[in-house]
Amino acid sequence: MTGRPPKGRTWGRRGITPRVKVSGPSRGRLSAAGLLCYRPGLPARLCYRLRRHTGRRGERRSLGESDYIHLLDGAHQLLKAPLIVVWDRLSTHISKTMKALVAERDRLTSILLPGYAPELNPVEGLWAHVKRSLGNLAARTLSELETLLRRRLKALQYRHTILGGFLAGTGLALDRPN
């Protein structure tokens, strides 16, 4: 997410498009990674990690392998159970470094989704929900955007039925194979 506001819809007068002026160029960006954790018989859980990028020279513009592995380690500590992670094919998820980090952890198994299948990824539904709630927002600073995003994600952590709905929206089941 960047400091540029996401597009939203409005009920303007017919034929006149309302415009919101945003001052200055984007000054940084915010990267977010999330895990929706499901276990049969228990409510769904949300774990997430945010990282601020200020645009300094040499600074990575996205989350790296270490960020994702810290997220997975945190989820393991929270859930106190082995993890089976279903990844999309983001380049960071399938890199050699990530494969090595996953191989070091015997409590972690990773499975890849098909090539382009956002409809099978419940986290895509989560991000669509969060971005929709940010429509028509014009945050003045990156800190303001980060605070608002943290609040929205924190509130979602307690909405287990909505989190479960993201899995239901994929049509996937949590049945164990025989």
Side-chain angles (χ1 to χ4, degrees), residues 28-161:
R29 61 190 292 138
L30 199 58
S31 293
L35 286 175
L36 286 172
C37 306
Y38 300 101
R39 193 172 188 176
L42 295 176
R45 304 285 299 264
L46 169 64
C47 301
Y48 64 90
R49 184 171 181 83
L50 299 180
R51 183 157 187 212
R52 180 188 278 205
H53 310 283
T54 56
R56 292 189 183 113
R57 185 172 292 182
E59 181 183 47
R60 187 180 173 112
R61 291 179 41 97
S62 62
L63 292 169
E65 288 88 349
S66 62
D67 296 309
Y68 285 105
I69 210 70
H70 289 311
L71 175 63
L72 293 172
D73 288 342
H76 173 69
Q77 289 177 352
L78 175 73
L79 301 171
K80 296 176 179 44
L83 299 176
I84 300 173
V85 181
V86 181
W87 293 113
D88 56 11
R89 293 185 182 259
L90 180 70
S91 60
T92 309
H93 296 166
I94 61 174
S95 71
K96 290 179 184 176
T97 305
M98 182 57 79
K99 287 178 183 174
L101 290 169
V102 168
E104 290 174 5
R105 291 160 172 78
D106 56 346
R107 66 188 187 281
L108 182 60
T109 305
S110 68
I111 300 169
L112 292 175
L113 285 171
Y116 183 75
E119 69 278 0
L120 297 178
N121 189 348
V123 178
E124 293 293 337
L126 168 79
W127 294 132
H129 178 79
V130 170
K131 286 179 182 179
R132 203 173 312 119
S133 76
L134 295 175
N136 295 326
L137 168 76
R140 288 183 213 89
T141 65
L142 194 58
S143 297
E144 188 178 322
L145 177 63
E146 182 178 7
T147 301
L148 184 62
L149 185 58
R150 283 187 191 280
R151 281 190 194 140
R152 302 270 164 95
L153 290 171
K154 185 71 171 175
L156 273 173
Q157 284 182 317
Y158 299 102
R159 310 277 311 269
H160 303 294
T161 53

